[in-house]
Amino acid sequence: MYSLCVRDHMMIAHSFRGEVFGPAQRLHGATYVVDLEFRRPALDADNLVVDIGLAGQALRGVLAEFDYRNLDDHPALRAQNTTTEFLARQVFDGMAARIAAGELGEAARGITALRVVLHESHLAWAAYEAEL
């Protein structure tokens, strides 16, 4: 399996509902470093997993929906606890939709899986990965 990873970041504010979250029930901020790994069993005709420039642009587009926002006010997320794990899936779904729409080029349709890792800090991170 071949893979290629691009990295970006997003800065958000949010709060959580539920005793399990302790002080994180109050509004707080987070800066996530986001790693997006594209996987495919064979390279495309240009010997690429995916065009790295298009991959970076697409990731920036997905993250722009959340970047510098209070997720408690985001219409699609208002009723959710926007945990790191939950947000990793949101990024995955956004990228999968962009691949399906052809934003990463026709050759990107050969991508068979994605892995999204959100790093909360150098000590903790969460991921979501699945086949496309």
Side-chain angles (χ1 to χ4, degrees):
M1 186 68 65
Y2 292 94
S3 68
L4 178 119
C5 186
V6 293
R7 175 175 276 186
D8 204 332
H9 73 283
M10 65 177 170
M11 296 174 18
I12 59 99
H14 62 173
S15 61
F16 297 130
R17 287 170 302 289
E19 294 285 324
V20 68
F21 294 105
Q25 292 176 84
R26 294 188 299 269
L27 185 64
H28 62 280
T31 299
Y32 293 107
V33 173
V34 181
D35 289 330
L36 172 61
E37 184 178 348
F38 299 86
R39 297 179 182 163
R40 63 188 299 158
L43 298 176
D44 71 10
D46 296 311
N47 286 334
L48 297 172
V49 171
V50 66
D51 180 306
I52 197 168
L54 292 177
Q57 288 174 359
L59 178 57
R60 172 70 349 231
V62 170
L63 299 181
E65 182 179 341
F66 310 113
D67 205 12
Y68 290 100
R69 293 190 67 175
N70 179 347
L71 301 184
D72 296 350
D73 297 332
H74 190 291
L77 305 177
R78 216 174 268 150
Q80 300 292 330
N81 274 329
T82 52
T83 62
T84 305
E85 300 92 310
F86 176 86
L87 291 174
R89 175 65 187 264
Q90 298 303 300
V91 174
F92 176 97
D93 290 346
M95 286 305 302
R98 286 172 183 261
I99 291 168
E103 288 185 33
L104 282 84
E106 277 304 307
R109 295 190 192 280
I111 295 167
T112 58
L114 297 175
R115 176 177 166 83
V116 177
V117 181
L118 270 64
H119 301 267
E120 287 190 46
S121 72
H122 64 289
L123 299 175
W125 55 91
Y128 181 81
E129 64 182 282
E131 293 184 5
L132 293 179

